[in-house]
């Protein structure tokens, strides 16, 4: 309720950036409450408002966040092809390597949910190689576990090795 009121006030004042932020919060809350279709509508409305703004770094960051949110939501709706479209688009927009790696991981999860494990493995190899360079042991273990799981689904002999190493 607070963010709905705030969104309306911000739209009335012409503060589109704040209205977009309110809509992103609304979409996140709706998603957490299991209201995925309502969350989708809020995210799409935020995108529509974004189109009124000149594309600068903060607007691009909002757009990336909203596209990622829509990818998650379409995955929950089991509309995997649409989710993957959003991940592909957002990967084309993202510029920093940490964000790109996170988005690739999300895309790999979507491929796994769609039972396209070969594609998931390809993305997860990129994720894991990035994590190895950053030496974050938790992320390395997580990417190995995800990679092992995806490989197990295609009877890849490296699956068990990946999962053991993740421990």
């Amino acid at each position: 309720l607070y963010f709905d009121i705030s969104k309306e006030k911000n739209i009335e004042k012409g503060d589109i950036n704040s209205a977009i932020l309110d809509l992103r919060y609304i979409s996140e809350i709706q998603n957490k409450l299991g209201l995925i279709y309502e969350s989708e509508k809020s995210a799409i409305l935020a995108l529509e408002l974004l189109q009124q703004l000149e594309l600068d770094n903060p607007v691009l960051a909002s757009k990336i966040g909203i596209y990622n949110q829509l990818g998650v939501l379409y995955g929950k709706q089991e509309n995997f092809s649409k989710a993957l479209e959003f991940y592909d688009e957002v990967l084309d927009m993202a510029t920093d390597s940490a964000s790109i790696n996170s988005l690739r991981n999300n895309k790999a999860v979507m491929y796994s949910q769609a039972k396209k494990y070969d594609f998931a493995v390809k993305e997860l190899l990129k994720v894991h190689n990035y994590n190895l360079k950053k030496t974050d042991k938790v992320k390395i273990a997580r990417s190995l576990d995800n990679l092992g799981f995806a490989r197990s689904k295609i009877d890849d002999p490296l699956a068990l090795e990946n999962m053991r190493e993740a421990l």
Side-chain angles (χ1 to χ4, degrees), residues 97-108:
S97 55
S99 294
I100 290 168
N101 197 54
S102 178
L103 292 163
R104 279 188 177 138
N105 187 70
N106 291 353
K107 185 177 177 182

Side-chain angles (χ1 to χ4, degrees), residues 3-16:
F3 290 112
D4 279 323
I5 294 168
S6 178
K7 173 196 69 165
E8 294 303 324
K9 285 181 181 177
N10 284 321
I11 289 172
E12 285 175 22
K13 291 189 302 188
D15 187 354
I16 302 301

Side-chain angles (χ1 to χ4, degrees), residues 130-141:
Y130 175 85
N131 290 341
L132 285 173
K133 291 176 191 167
K134 296 298 175 185
T135 66
D136 182 328
K137 291 184 184 208
V138 172
K139 288 184 179 182
I140 291 169

Side-chain angles (χ1 to χ4, degrees), residues 6-165:
S6 178
K7 173 196 69 165
E8 294 303 324
K9 285 181 181 177
N10 284 321
I11 289 172
E12 285 175 22
K13 291 189 302 188
D15 187 354
I16 302 301
N17 282 315
S18 295
I20 290 166
L21 187 59
D22 290 332
L23 281 163
R24 290 184 66 190
Y25 287 137
I26 290 167
S27 179
E28 283 291 326
I29 292 166
Q30 290 167 327
N31 181 29
K32 288 184 194 288
L33 293 173
L35 305 169
I36 56 175
Y37 296 99
E38 292 83 350
S39 179
E40 174 192 7
K41 287 177 187 173
S42 296
I44 289 171
L45 182 55
L47 272 182
E48 290 170 0
L49 288 176
L50 262 179
Q51 292 174 350
Q52 298 177 24
L53 302 175
E54 190 173 319
L55 190 61
D56 58 11
N57 285 339
V59 171
L60 181 61
S62 286
K63 191 171 185 178
I64 288 170
I66 295 166
Y67 271 55
N68 187 54
Q69 172 75 359
L70 286 166
V72 169
L73 292 168
Y74 288 124
K76 287 183 175 186
Q77 295 172 18
E78 297 185 1
N79 188 344
F80 303 118
S81 61
K82 193 154 187 169
L84 289 165
E85 283 177 35
F86 273 95
Y87 285 125
D88 285 337
E89 286 189 48
V90 78
L91 278 164
D92 287 340
M93 290 182 239
T95 55
D96 71 286
S97 55
S99 294
I100 290 168
N101 197 54
S102 178
L103 292 163
R104 279 188 177 138
N105 187 70
N106 291 353
K107 185 177 177 182
V109 167
M110 205 53 52
Y111 276 132
S112 289
Q113 289 177 355
K115 299 182 178 13
K116 294 183 177 186
Y117 300 109
D118 287 329
F119 293 107
V121 167
K122 287 178 185 173
E123 289 297 325
L124 287 166
L125 282 169
K126 294 174 190 174
V127 169
H128 183 60
N129 287 332
Y130 175 85
N131 290 341
L132 285 173
K133 291 176 191 167
K134 296 298 175 185
T135 66
D136 182 328
K137 291 184 184 208
V138 172
K139 288 184 179 182
I140 291 169
R142 189 175 300 129
S143 62
L144 270 174
D145 185 53
N146 291 342
L147 186 56
F149 171 78
R151 283 180 161 163
S152 75
K153 296 297 188 177
I154 56 173
D155 296 322
D156 185 321
L158 293 173
L160 187 56
E161 181 182 325
N162 289 155
M163 286 190 241
R164 280 188 182 144
E165 195 176 335

